[in-house]
Amino acid sequence: MNPLRPSARAAAVPPSATAALDAHAKALVAAGADVINLTSGEPAFPTVEPAARAAEQAIAEDFTRYTPAAGVPELRAAIAAHLNRHGTAYEASRVVVTAGAKQALHHAFTALLDPGDEVLVPAPYWVSYPHLIALAGGTLIPVRPAPGAGLKVTPEQVREAITDRTRVLLLNSPANPSGVVYSRYELAALAEVAVEHDLVIVSDEICEHWVFGDARFASVAALGAEIAARTVTVGGVSKTFAMTGWRIGWLAASAELASTVTALQSHTASAPSSIAQRAALGALTADLGAELERRRSALDARRLATVKAIGDVPGLRVDGDPEGAFFLLADVTGLYGKACAGRTVTSAADFAALLLAEAQVAVVPGADFAAPDHVRISYTVPPEQLDEALGRLAGFVGALS
Ligand code: PLP
């Protein structure tokens, strides 16, 4: 008997594969290995200056008590204004501040799902979605893009996946792990299916800032009144302002759902950190346009270099058009059957393991993203490291026989 055995619900949740790999790569670096880590889910920039200053000031003022469960009013107002730049019409009262977008998603699914409810999720999808949905009693139903369709799903594919248990359509653009960005027309067509079938839309817009080239970000709740009325918008400061460790995210929805979520949060977290809320307020209310644009251009240069380098490696293929976030998916099936150090590549997991062992470059195999023949490459590392990693990767593939 193990008195501390986990519940069946908890035992079904594996650790995050991306977090495990990131930790493994960081441990190798700490032990002195010359590993370049392309697994990271965060931009390699420092936290924006005004956020850090606001946090220091919060501490100096002893702004260190519980805040209202939904977050401090000024921050909720600043978040509503931030969202409404994209054409939505949120009032502060419909915004709940959470400990990261991840907790916002957790609250949203807990507030919306009854046991057995189904959530349609375009694949490939972010690793945490299946577990966040399952913990809330729901089931993730993947909607798979057709081969060659640029890793985007169509309204018809969503329609075909609907059953009488379907409750939510989850959208994520710019997408993790593929980096694809759905246009406002594509998003509107997908959202119309939700309107037709009376589904909720949960729109994970955490990477809204990181959009490149001709692509444009569109916020789902800005695409029409009927769509807005059924949409939960999720976002946060983590990726835009390089504040992943501060743990501030949000959701915006109807006043009723916001109250339900506030009640859930009041009993589970009380509220997010008061200091981090002030930091987020500092970021959202500062004039950061030029700085964020500099960062966006820097990341775009890394994106273009990575797309080119991967495209130039025989046997590797960039799948979809990675116009957003800071990842891309490389299809590795062209290397299946090739070998190195006595091991044959038969899966993306083999490829990633061999690449790490032989060339000291860490990438994430796609199985947990529902992309079993791909690896996810995160191109946020500084350019010198990125060039070195891409050179090693090309050399490694060239040496496979
Ligand atoms: N949604 C997606 C698609 C993500 O990639 C991440 C983080 O990796 C999150 C949500 C969670 O972000 P946060 O750091 O705000 O919890």
Side-chain angles (χ1 to χ4, degrees):
M1 258 283 274
N2 170 12
L4 295 183
R5 67 188 175 281
S7 66
R9 201 173 62 242
V13 181
S16 157
T18 46
L21 253 159
D22 193 37
H24 180 54
K26 283 180 178 150
L28 289 173
V29 172
D34 176 24
V35 169
I36 305 179
N37 186 3
L38 304 186
T39 71
S40 179
E42 54 194 351
F45 298 114
T47 284
V48 292
E49 210 30 50
R53 296 296 79 79
E56 284 169 0
Q57 202 182 333
I59 296 171
E61 289 171 8
D62 197 29
F63 187 73
T64 56
R65 315 284 159 197
Y66 293 130
T67 71
V72 295
E74 307 88 300
L75 178 56
R76 294 170 76 195
I79 292 167
H82 180 75
L83 292 172
N84 293 344
R85 291 171 309 143
H86 297 300
T88 52
Y90 287 118
E91 298 93 21
S93 56
R94 293 164 59 195
V95 172
V96 182
V97 187
T98 57
K102 200 178 260 187
Q103 195 187 43
L105 289 164
H106 173 75
H107 288 334
F109 292 131
T110 304
L112 289 166
L113 299 179
D114 282 314
D117 280 350
E118 295 176 352
V119 180
L120 302 183
V121 185
Y125 47 71
W126 181 44
V127 283
S128 291
Y129 292 148
H131 309 297
L132 288 164
I133 292 166
L135 278 171
T139 305
L140 181 150
I141 306 293
V143 182
R144 296 183 195 283
L151 295 180
K152 288 184 177 177
V153 300
T154 62
E156 292 67 39
Q157 288 166 329
V158 172
R159 233 176 246 117
E160 277 163 23
I162 292 175
T163 70
D164 55 5
R165 292 313 312 262
T166 309
R167 173 90 171 105
V168 175
L169 171 63
L170 175 56
L171 297 173
N172 171 222
S173 173
N176 180 1
S178 65
V180 301
V181 180
Y182 283 81
S183 73
R184 64 188 300 113
Y185 305 102
E186 289 168 330
L187 285 173
L190 294 171
E192 281 306 328
V193 180
V195 174
E196 277 164 33
H197 292 267
D198 196 23
L199 307 180
V200 176
I201 301 167
V202 174
S203 184
D204 179 348
E205 302 180 358
I206 187 73
C207 283
E208 51 136 348
H209 176 67
W210 303 109
V211 177
F212 311 107
D214 295 332
R216 294 289 171 269
F217 169 75
S219 182
V220 171
L223 299 176
E226 278 189 296
I227 295 170
R230 62 186 59 252
T231 298
V232 180
T233 303
V234 171
V237 294
S238 288
K239 316 282 179 174
T240 303
F241 300 106
M243 293 177 66
T244 48
W246 296 82
R247 310 309 304 134
I248 294 293
W250 53 73
L251 67 74
S254 63
E256 188 190 357
L257 192 79
S259 309
T260 307
V261 165
T262 302
L264 287 174
Q265 177 151 283
S266 71
H267 292 295
T268 52
S270 294
S273 149
S274 59
I275 298 160
Q277 288 190 63
R278 277 283 188 85
L281 183 61
L284 287 168
T285 52
D287 180 8
L288 285 169
E291 172 62 17
L292 292 185
E293 185 50 30
R294 251 193 309 281
R295 292 181 177 198
R296 212 183 52 77
S297 304
L299 205 47
D300 193 18
R302 296 174 208 179
R303 173 184 77 100
L304 292 171
T306 309
V307 169
K308 163 124 185 38
I310 300 298
D312 285 348
V313 177
L316 289 184
R317 187 172 61 82
V318 175
D319 209 350
D321 203 352
E323 295 180 300
F326 25 82
F327 316 106
L328 59 78
L329 281 177
D331 182 320
V332 299
T333 48
L335 300 175
Y336 287 180
K338 298 210 170 213
C340 165
R343 284 179 64 185
T344 306
V345 178
T346 60
S347 65
D350 289 340
F351 174 82
L354 272 172
L355 180 67
L356 182 57
E358 302 299 318
Q360 288 76 50
V361 175
V363 296
V364 187
D368 290 344
F369 297 107
D373 293 323
H374 296 75
V375 293
R376 188 188 74 174
I377 296 175
S378 167
Y379 50 78
T380 66
V381 295
E384 327 71 68
Q385 274 186 47
L386 185 63
D387 286 351
E388 170 68 20
L390 293 170
R392 287 188 198 178
L393 191 148
F396 163 75
V397 171
L400 292 172
S401 54

